[in-house]
Amino acid sequence: MRRKFRRWLVWLWQQEGTPVERAIGLALGAFSGCFPLFGFQTLLGLSLATIFHGNRLLAVIGTWISNPVTYLPLYWLNYKVGCAVLGEAETLPELREVTFQSLWHQGWIFSQRLMLGSALIGCFVAGFVGVISYRAFKKTN
């Protein structure tokens, strides 16, 4: 098992492209993985890697930053960062006061904070992953 994992890492490390292209792919995948777009993170990572000439396979793998183990802490952090920028969300209305309009409004407030936080955390994570992976790829070339 250990040997297979090591071979997989070596294969992964030897993907085609320059160190910059490989680092861009991995960074864009990590950026995409920070968004709560279950299933569409991969498509977003692939699209961004294609647009910015990054390694597409590494972009797909980079989206694995969000997985069932990391969903809750990652999206909670994203939401809290969004709240720090936009301000705390309003309190929920009493149950007897809930209408379709108020639910829609609360969903919009929550979504704004989550998506803004996801973009900000995604930029930070992409920068970090990009720099670290570029240095590592450059060292092995």
Side-chain angles (χ1 to χ4, degrees), residues 58-115:
L58 291 175
V60 168
I61 290 168
T63 63
W64 296 350
I65 193 169
S66 66
N67 56 64
V69 174
T70 63
Y71 286 150
L72 190 59
L74 178 62
Y75 300 145
W76 176 82
L77 175 64
N78 292 351
Y79 177 74
K80 286 303 196 179
V81 168
C83 285
V85 173
L86 296 177
E88 286 294 324
E90 301 168 12
T91 59
L92 294 173
E94 293 288 325
L95 188 55
R96 64 182 181 289
E97 298 171 1
V98 172
T99 64
F100 179 76
Q101 181 102 11
S102 67
L103 284 175
W104 186 260
H105 180 69
Q106 288 297 323
W108 176 248
I109 289 171
F110 176 79
S111 297
Q112 285 177 323
R113 282 150 180 77
L114 180 59
M115 295 307 277

Side-chain angles (χ1 to χ4, degrees), residues 13 19-20 22-24 26-27 123-139:
W13 208 252
V20 170
R22 292 184 286 163
I24 287 172
L26 204 53
C123 287
F124 174 77
V125 168
F128 181 77
V129 167
V131 168
I132 297 298
S133 62
Y134 172 72
R135 287 181 179 172
F137 289 137
K138 184 120 173 126
K139 195 177 269 190

